[in-house]
Amino acid sequence: MAQRAGLRAERRRLVGLARGATIEIGAGTGLNLEHYGSAVTRLVLVEPDRRMARRLRARAARDWPGAEIVHEVAARLPFADAGFDTAVVTAVLCTVADPTAALAEIARVLRPGGLLLFGEHVRSEDPRLAAWQDRLRPLWRLLADGCEPNRRTLAAIEASPLRLEWVRRGRVPGAPPIVRPMIAGAARREG
């Protein structure tokens, strides 16, 4: 429902900024594939969930036949240092076991000057909604494949080896209130 309600447009705006050798972490079933443009010269899709990876393979065969699909977790990317121009995460940092380790790995595989593009739901700035996110976290985590609705993702990005370039706050359209607050933005690897 959120895809139809406007999240697709946000994905298109964000993913359309990808350039050069691009890695998407937590590619899921491939909802971003249709938004990668001709400026992407190589596309690597990392997905740890085998069930989702099967669906991803089918969609990639149709929408981006040259894409490489890798079964691995964000904290252990099987790539050399500085091999990618762009990294993409959308609705991923809420589910990874260790966001700090995932962001460090992303920074490691990005070239100096490389860009992380992110679109993530986050902990609310409204204290009442944040309290509900905290209360409902255990149940939501069980129901939503490990998603933690109260993650302080922007703070994690700011504390990572990446330098925040820009961020836009918004709402995930059509989503339940505890996962509605969102951020979209970019962070750059310096060096």
mmCIF file of all heavy atoms in Angstrom, residues 130-158:
data_model
loop_
_atom_site.group_PDB
_atom_site.id
_atom_site.type_symbol
_atom_site.label_atom_id
_atom_site.label_comp_id
_atom_site.label_asym_id
_atom_site.label_seq_id
_atom_site.Cartn_x
_atom_site.Cartn_y
_atom_site.Cartn_z
ATOM 1 N N ALA A 130 7.260 8.308 19.688
ATOM 2 C CA ALA A 130 8.494 7.573 20.001
ATOM 3 C C ALA A 130 8.256 6.586 21.145
ATOM 4 O O ALA A 130 8.759 5.460 21.123
ATOM 5 C CB ALA A 130 9.620 8.543 20.350
ATOM 6 N N ALA A 131 7.460 6.993 22.132
ATOM 7 C CA ALA A 131 7.148 6.084 23.250
ATOM 8 C C ALA A 131 6.362 4.875 22.741
ATOM 9 O O ALA A 131 6.599 3.742 23.191
ATOM 10 C CB ALA A 131 6.359 6.831 24.325
ATOM 11 N N TRP A 132 5.435 5.084 21.810
ATOM 12 C CA TRP A 132 4.700 3.964 21.222
ATOM 13 C C TRP A 132 5.622 3.074 20.395
ATOM 14 O O TRP A 132 5.496 1.852 20.424
ATOM 15 C CB TRP A 132 3.528 4.462 20.370
ATOM 16 C CG TRP A 132 2.323 4.718 21.216
ATOM 17 C CD1 TRP A 132 1.810 5.936 21.566
ATOM 18 C CD2 TRP A 132 1.521 3.739 21.854
ATOM 19 N NE1 TRP A 132 0.733 5.766 22.383
ATOM 20 C CE2 TRP A 132 0.521 4.418 22.576
ATOM 21 C CE3 TRP A 132 1.544 2.348 21.892
ATOM 22 C CZ2 TRP A 132 -0.444 3.754 23.315
ATOM 23 C CZ3 TRP A 132 0.578 1.686 22.628
ATOM 24 C CH2 TRP A 132 -0.408 2.386 23.329
ATOM 25 N N GLN A 133 6.560 3.681 19.683
ATOM 26 C CA GLN A 133 7.531 2.878 18.931
ATOM 27 C C GLN A 133 8.317 1.983 19.877
ATOM 28 O O GLN A 133 8.563 0.814 19.571
ATOM 29 C CB GLN A 133 8.481 3.790 18.152
ATOM 30 C CG GLN A 133 7.848 4.476 16.964
ATOM 31 C CD GLN A 133 8.800 5.445 16.297
ATOM 32 O OE1 GLN A 133 9.488 6.230 16.963
ATOM 33 N NE2 GLN A 133 8.836 5.410 14.970
ATOM 34 N N ASP A 134 8.710 2.534 21.037
ATOM 35 C CA ASP A 134 9.449 1.746 22.024
ATOM 36 C C ASP A 134 8.591 0.606 22.578
ATOM 37 O O ASP A 134 9.049 -0.534 22.695
ATOM 38 C CB ASP A 134 9.918 2.630 23.181
ATOM 39 C CG ASP A 134 10.975 3.641 22.769
ATOM 40 O OD1 ASP A 134 11.613 3.451 21.708
ATOM 41 O OD2 ASP A 134 11.153 4.637 23.492
ATOM 42 N N ARG A 135 7.336 0.912 22.915
ATOM 43 C CA ARG A 135 6.438 -0.097 23.488
ATOM 44 C C ARG A 135 6.148 -1.228 22.498
ATOM 45 O O ARG A 135 6.084 -2.392 22.885
ATOM 46 C CB ARG A 135 5.109 0.544 23.894
ATOM 47 C CG ARG A 135 5.140 1.241 25.202
ATOM 48 C CD ARG A 135 3.731 1.717 25.587
ATOM 49 N NE ARG A 135 3.862 2.933 26.356
ATOM 50 C CZ ARG A 135 3.559 4.155 25.929
ATOM 51 N NH1 ARG A 135 3.055 4.339 24.734
ATOM 52 N NH2 ARG A 135 3.744 5.195 26.701
ATOM 53 N N LEU A 136 5.911 -0.860 21.242
ATOM 54 C CA LEU A 136 5.495 -1.845 20.249
ATOM 55 C C LEU A 136 6.666 -2.539 19.543
ATOM 56 O O LEU A 136 6.452 -3.476 18.778
ATOM 57 C CB LEU A 136 4.585 -1.177 19.213
ATOM 58 C CG LEU A 136 3.240 -0.699 19.752
ATOM 59 C CD1 LEU A 136 2.488 0.088 18.692
ATOM 60 C CD2 LEU A 136 2.408 -1.874 20.246
ATOM 61 N N ARG A 137 7.883 -2.096 19.806
ATOM 62 C CA ARG A 137 9.064 -2.647 19.152
ATOM 63 C C ARG A 137 9.138 -4.179 19.205
ATOM 64 O O ARG A 137 9.333 -4.817 18.172
ATOM 65 C CB ARG A 137 10.334 -2.032 19.733
ATOM 66 C CG ARG A 137 11.595 -2.589 19.132
ATOM 67 C CD ARG A 137 12.818 -2.134 19.939
ATOM 68 N NE ARG A 137 13.924 -3.021 19.694
ATOM 69 C CZ ARG A 137 14.143 -4.168 20.315
ATOM 70 N NH1 ARG A 137 13.319 -4.595 21.246
ATOM 71 N NH2 ARG A 137 15.170 -4.916 20.014
ATOM 72 N N PRO A 138 8.996 -4.822 20.378
ATOM 73 C CA PRO A 138 9.126 -6.288 20.401
ATOM 74 C C PRO A 138 8.112 -6.993 19.497
ATOM 75 O O PRO A 138 8.469 -7.921 18.763
ATOM 76 C CB PRO A 138 8.900 -6.646 21.872
ATOM 77 C CG PRO A 138 9.230 -5.398 22.630
ATOM 78 C CD PRO A 138 8.809 -4.271 21.739
ATOM 79 N N LEU A 139 6.867 -6.553 19.540
ATOM 80 C CA LEU A 139 5.843 -7.172 18.708
ATOM 81 C C LEU A 139 6.086 -6.864 17.225
ATOM 82 O O LEU A 139 6.024 -7.750 16.377
ATOM 83 C CB LEU A 139 4.449 -6.678 19.120
ATOM 84 C CG LEU A 139 3.290 -7.209 18.288
ATOM 85 C CD1 LEU A 139 3.216 -8.729 18.373
ATOM 86 C CD2 LEU A 139 1.985 -6.568 18.734
ATOM 87 N N TRP A 140 6.388 -5.600 16.920
ATOM 88 C CA TRP A 140 6.627 -5.201 15.524
ATOM 89 C C TRP A 140 7.800 -5.982 14.947
ATOM 90 O O TRP A 140 7.770 -6.425 13.808
ATOM 91 C CB TRP A 140 6.870 -3.698 15.440
ATOM 92 C CG TRP A 140 6.919 -3.227 14.029
ATOM 93 C CD1 TRP A 140 8.043 -2.984 13.283
ATOM 94 C CD2 TRP A 140 5.818 -2.981 13.167
ATOM 95 N NE1 TRP A 140 7.703 -2.591 12.017
ATOM 96 C CE2 TRP A 140 6.329 -2.588 11.921
ATOM 97 C CE3 TRP A 140 4.434 -3.062 13.329
ATOM 98 C CZ2 TRP A 140 5.518 -2.267 10.850
ATOM 99 C CZ3 TRP A 140 3.627 -2.741 12.268
ATOM 100 C CH2 TRP A 140 4.175 -2.356 11.042
ATOM 101 N N ARG A 141 8.836 -6.150 15.751
ATOM 102 C CA ARG A 141 10.024 -6.890 15.317
ATOM 103 C C ARG A 141 9.660 -8.316 14.886
ATOM 104 O O ARG A 141 10.165 -8.819 13.886
ATOM 105 C CB ARG A 141 11.031 -6.920 16.471
ATOM 106 C CG ARG A 141 12.427 -7.117 16.065
ATOM 107 C CD ARG A 141 13.367 -6.840 17.244
ATOM 108 N NE ARG A 141 14.705 -7.018 16.762
ATOM 109 C CZ ARG A 141 15.271 -8.182 16.566
ATOM 110 N NH1 ARG A 141 14.634 -9.282 16.841
ATOM 111 N NH2 ARG A 141 16.486 -8.261 16.084
ATOM 112 N N LEU A 142 8.767 -8.946 15.643
ATOM 113 C CA LEU A 142 8.317 -10.306 15.303
ATOM 114 C C LEU A 142 7.470 -10.317 14.035
ATOM 115 O O LEU A 142 7.601 -11.210 13.203
ATOM 116 C CB LEU A 142 7.490 -10.888 16.450
ATOM 117 C CG LEU A 142 8.258 -11.355 17.668
ATOM 118 C CD1 LEU A 142 7.297 -11.758 18.778
ATOM 119 C CD2 LEU A 142 9.173 -12.517 17.304
ATOM 120 N N LEU A 143 6.609 -9.344 13.893
ATOM 121 C CA LEU A 143 5.675 -9.311 12.770
ATOM 122 C C LEU A 143 6.308 -8.815 11.468
ATOM 123 O O LEU A 143 5.808 -9.124 10.392
ATOM 124 C CB LEU A 143 4.476 -8.411 13.107
ATOM 125 C CG LEU A 143 3.604 -8.866 14.271
ATOM 126 C CD1 LEU A 143 2.555 -7.806 14.575
ATOM 127 C CD2 LEU A 143 2.959 -10.202 13.965
ATOM 128 N N ALA A 144 7.375 -8.036 11.573
ATOM 129 C CA ALA A 144 7.915 -7.359 10.395
ATOM 130 C C ALA A 144 9.366 -7.759 10.095
ATOM 131 O O ALA A 144 10.215 -6.909 9.805
ATOM 132 C CB ALA A 144 7.802 -5.850 10.569
ATOM 133 N N ASP A 145 9.661 -9.040 10.167
ATOM 134 C CA ASP A 145 10.978 -9.568 9.772
ATOM 135 C C ASP A 145 12.151 -8.855 10.437
ATOM 136 O O ASP A 145 13.151 -8.546 9.799
ATOM 137 C CB ASP A 145 11.139 -9.499 8.247
ATOM 138 C CG ASP A 145 10.261 -10.509 7.539
ATOM 139 O OD1 ASP A 145 10.044 -11.596 8.104
ATOM 140 O OD2 ASP A 145 9.807 -10.212 6.424
ATOM 141 N N GLY A 146 12.021 -8.576 11.733
ATOM 142 C CA GLY A 146 13.139 -7.994 12.476
ATOM 143 C C GLY A 146 13.223 -6.484 12.443
ATOM 144 O O GLY A 146 14.150 -5.896 12.990
ATOM 145 N N CYS A 147 12.263 -5.825 11.828
ATOM 146 C CA CYS A 147 12.268 -4.363 11.736
ATOM 147 C C CYS A 147 12.136 -3.737 13.118
ATOM 148 O O CYS A 147 11.284 -4.132 13.906
ATOM 149 C CB CYS A 147 11.110 -3.910 10.840
ATOM 150 S SG CYS A 147 10.830 -2.140 10.873
ATOM 151 N N GLU A 148 12.988 -2.768 13.394
ATOM 152 C CA GLU A 148 12.939 -2.037 14.652
ATOM 153 C C GLU A 148 12.447 -0.626 14.350
ATOM 154 O O GLU A 148 13.187 0.173 13.774
ATOM 155 C CB GLU A 148 14.311 -2.025 15.306
ATOM 156 C CG GLU A 148 14.811 -3.433 15.529
ATOM 157 C CD GLU A 148 15.693 -3.585 16.731
ATOM 158 O OE1 GLU A 148 15.765 -2.655 17.561
ATOM 159 O OE2 GLU A 148 16.313 -4.640 16.831
ATOM 160 N N PRO A 149 11.213 -0.297 14.743
ATOM 161 C CA PRO A 149 10.618 0.974 14.346
ATOM 162 C C PRO A 149 11.203 2.195 15.047
ATOM 163 O O PRO A 149 10.933 3.318 14.639
ATOM 164 C CB PRO A 149 9.148 0.794 14.725
ATOM 165 C CG PRO A 149 9.173 -0.147 15.880
ATOM 166 C CD PRO A 149 10.307 -1.094 15.568
ATOM 167 N N ASN A 150 11.993 1.980 16.072
ATOM 168 C CA ASN A 150 12.487 3.100 16.883
ATOM 169 C C ASN A 150 13.990 3.359 16.723
ATOM 170 O O ASN A 150 14.607 3.986 17.574
ATOM 171 C CB ASN A 150 12.159 2.860 18.359
ATOM 172 C CG ASN A 150 12.771 1.581 18.891
ATOM 173 O OD1 ASN A 150 13.257 0.743 18.135
ATOM 174 N ND2 ASN A 150 12.750 1.421 20.206
ATOM 175 N N ARG A 151 14.568 2.921 15.635
ATOM 176 C CA ARG A 151 16.013 3.124 15.436
ATOM 177 C C ARG A 151 16.337 4.590 15.181
ATOM 178 O O ARG A 151 15.631 5.284 14.465
ATOM 179 C CB ARG A 151 16.518 2.304 14.251
ATOM 180 C CG ARG A 151 16.637 0.831 14.552
ATOM 181 C CD ARG A 151 18.076 0.366 14.417
ATOM 182 N NE ARG A 151 18.262 -0.969 14.916
ATOM 183 C CZ ARG A 151 18.617 -2.002 14.167
ATOM 184 N NH1 ARG A 151 18.798 -1.863 12.872
ATOM 185 N NH2 ARG A 151 18.807 -3.178 14.707
ATOM 186 N N ARG A 152 17.459 5.020 15.739
ATOM 187 C CA ARG A 152 17.957 6.384 15.544
ATOM 188 C C ARG A 152 18.945 6.353 14.364
ATOM 189 O O ARG A 152 20.149 6.533 14.532
ATOM 190 C CB ARG A 152 18.620 6.883 16.810
ATOM 191 C CG ARG A 152 17.683 6.944 17.999
ATOM 192 C CD ARG A 152 18.418 7.359 19.263
ATOM 193 N NE ARG A 152 17.646 7.116 20.455
ATOM 194 C CZ ARG A 152 16.790 7.973 20.996
ATOM 195 N NH1 ARG A 152 16.595 9.132 20.424
ATOM 196 N NH2 ARG A 152 16.149 7.652 22.089
ATOM 197 N N THR A 153 18.400 6.131 13.195
ATOM 198 C CA THR A 153 19.207 5.881 12.007
ATOM 199 C C THR A 153 20.019 7.089 11.581
ATOM 200 O O THR A 153 21.176 6.954 11.182
ATOM 201 C CB THR A 153 18.310 5.371 10.867
ATOM 202 O OG1 THR A 153 17.664 4.178 11.334
ATOM 203 C CG2 THR A 153 19.097 5.064 9.618
ATOM 204 N N LEU A 154 19.450 8.270 11.654
ATOM 205 C CA LEU A 154 20.202 9.458 11.255
ATOM 206 C C LEU A 154 21.427 9.641 12.157
ATOM 207 O O LEU A 154 22.526 9.924 11.672
ATOM 208 C CB LEU A 154 19.329 10.707 11.272
ATOM 209 C CG LEU A 154 20.009 11.978 10.769
ATOM 210 C CD1 LEU A 154 20.546 11.811 9.350
ATOM 211 C CD2 LEU A 154 19.035 13.158 10.844
ATOM 212 N N ALA A 155 21.267 9.439 13.445
ATOM 213 C CA ALA A 155 22.398 9.543 14.372
ATOM 214 C C ALA A 155 23.465 8.507 14.038
ATOM 215 O O ALA A 155 24.669 8.793 14.106
ATOM 216 C CB ALA A 155 21.929 9.388 15.811
ATOM 217 N N ALA A 156 23.046 7.301 13.654
ATOM 218 C CA ALA A 156 24.007 6.256 13.276
ATOM 219 C C ALA A 156 24.778 6.660 12.023
ATOM 220 O O ALA A 156 25.992 6.439 11.935
ATOM 221 C CB ALA A 156 23.289 4.932 13.057
ATOM 222 N N ILE A 157 24.101 7.238 11.056
ATOM 223 C CA ILE A 157 24.784 7.692 9.830
ATOM 224 C C ILE A 157 25.763 8.812 10.170
ATOM 225 O O ILE A 157 26.908 8.813 9.712
ATOM 226 C CB ILE A 157 23.759 8.133 8.767
ATOM 227 C CG1 ILE A 157 22.960 6.922 8.277
ATOM 228 C CG2 ILE A 157 24.450 8.847 7.598
ATOM 229 C CD1 ILE A 157 21.744 7.266 7.431
ATOM 230 N N GLU A 158 25.329 9.749 11.009
ATOM 231 C CA GLU A 158 26.203 10.872 11.390
ATOM 232 C C GLU A 158 27.424 10.392 12.177
ATOM 233 O O GLU A 158 28.487 11.005 12.092
ATOM 234 C CB GLU A 158 25.413 11.900 12.196
ATOM 235 C CG GLU A 158 24.403 12.641 11.352
ATOM 236 C CD GLU A 158 23.507 13.564 12.147
ATOM 237 O OE1 GLU A 158 23.129 13.202 13.289
ATOM 238 O OE2 GLU A 158 23.174 14.637 11.621
#
